Amino acid sequence: MRIGTNHGSLSDRIMSRFGDSPMGMVESAMEFLRIARDEQYHQIILSMKSSNPLVMVQAYRLLVQKMATEFGECYPLHLGVTEAGDGEDGRIKSAIGICSLLEDGIGDTIRVSLTEDPEFEVPVCKDIVARYAGACQLQPATDDARRPLEISTEKISWDPFHCQRRQAVAVGNTGAAQVPVVIAAMSKINLTDAAQLQPVGYSYDAASDKWNIGDMAADYIYTGDTVPTFALPGTVQLVSSYSCWQQHKKQTIPYLQPGEYTTNHQEVANITHFVGITSQSLTTELTALLKNDANAILVAEHGLPALQHQEQPFTAPLQALRGLCGTLVAHGINNPVVLKVTSNNTTVDKQLITFATEAGGTLLDGFGDGIWLENHEADIANTQITGRTYLPVSNNAQFLNNTAFSILQATRTRISKTEYISCPSCGRTLFDLQETTAKIRAATNHLKGVKIAIMGCIVNGPGEMADADFGYVGSGPGKITLYKGKEVVKKNVASETAVAELIELLKENEAWVDIN
Ligand code: SF4
């Protein structure tokens, strides 16, 4: 029997005591689990589903802790991010939620729930499971799947149950309470034409000699050993290797490797500079220097060999990256930290999983003032996600930039686009969910920060759309009910006019902006 708790449909009784919180989800499941245990019934698996990966991860962690303290044993867990949506956003949200837990050894079965045909869910699950193939050993069969579990007494410098952002000082536009920055990896591109910045959010209009800056415009561009041959827009900063900076000191910010920093730290002491760190390179000498450096932005990498899926033993890169951030806290180093994740994977799907898990999972625990994604695949253009083309990308730089902003959006650390919460559809679905989602997305994808739920039925839809600002819910054949938050505002709207009515609703509530 599965005892499943859904963040969006907790009982009034639980809501009045705990609110729609991770603890409320855990208490809801524990009530039923206690009843089953009193009856000596143990054939149980539990799930804690939410469309918000942070809520989902905290709920499972709390549940494990609760079972360990109350029973001294743990029942198996089924993991999934519900109403994750479609395309790369659905995959990123799912990977952040599911893999953050699997990486810590929590979870026994998984479902990736996408607003797509069901056959597109399975390959994503397989990619996720393959990532952990080297970490798992088959358990001997028993009557039931309970496992003894003790609470670890190991002290950690962060709270796994309540996300609190690590307190970093500000260095320029990075750190303190500012949104995490995005560094665009462009060191493999010879930048000679302003149009080459379009994939990372900057479009140059030659006629007016002006730059148009998109909502997903990178904050920094890393160009390695070269500098562009054209003038950059004022809102983006250039980062180069230390040796390149020595030739172009007025143009770029230096990025120093640990050895370069320990030797040359005085040369960069009075200017903003980036310093690469891993657990292995964080020596006593480097730690002492960083503690007294008010101008350093740290670039943290896990420092392990990049996972290739099934080709090597599992090394828990998320734990290594999070552990490195925790070490900084323990040493009192409060410089901002940019999370740098490199993927060696050969498919877009697997790259998304690596980026989402390692950067997204670390952000979920409050670590990270920026994100920098690199890959070893030069040509992502026109590749497909699990058989369907989702990424409207023209090149690898755009893929990495879009993925970085999507990870920040999924972890709710930086909102740069509309958020869609859409159910996977089932036998109850009362309209073509994929077609409608695409229609609503086309009309509303410029509404930065607005959360829109698209749910197939009135039975479960309203309860499961949790924290959406507006809801579009099937209420009968050809009929739609529109919601503002949890409140019904328009009933039984004909599906032919429902998208236009949704737009009207957005306008009435000042959530709409015209496209210029
Ligand atoms: S149609 Fe209803 S029951 Fe089916 S997946 Fe969507 S919200 Fe859930």
Side-chain angles (χ1 to χ4, degrees), residues 83 423-430 455-461 464:
E83 281 79 45
C423 79
S425 84
C426 70
R428 287 197 181 117
T429 311
L430 294 164
M455 310 298 283
C457 78
I458 202 94
V459 182
N460 285 336
E464 295 194 4

Side-chain angles (χ1 to χ4, degrees), residues 38 139 146 177 188 317 331 421 515:
D38 284 349
Q139 301 292 325
R146 281 178 291 164
K188 292 172 199 145
H331 285 309
I421 297 157
I515 303 173

Side-chain angles (χ1 to χ4, degrees), residues 366-384:
F367 295 121
D369 304 287
I371 179 169
W372 175 349
L373 307 181
E374 287 272 5
N375 62 4
H376 290 255
E377 283 295 293
D379 184 18
I380 294 289
N382 304 320
T383 51
Q384 298 184 329

Side-chain angles (χ1 to χ4, degrees), residues 388-405:
R388 295 179 62 165
T389 306
Y390 279 105
L391 294 160
V393 293
S394 56
N395 61 28
N396 193 43
Q398 191 175 21
F399 165 66
L400 293 175
N401 195 61
N402 287 3
T403 303
F405 277 97

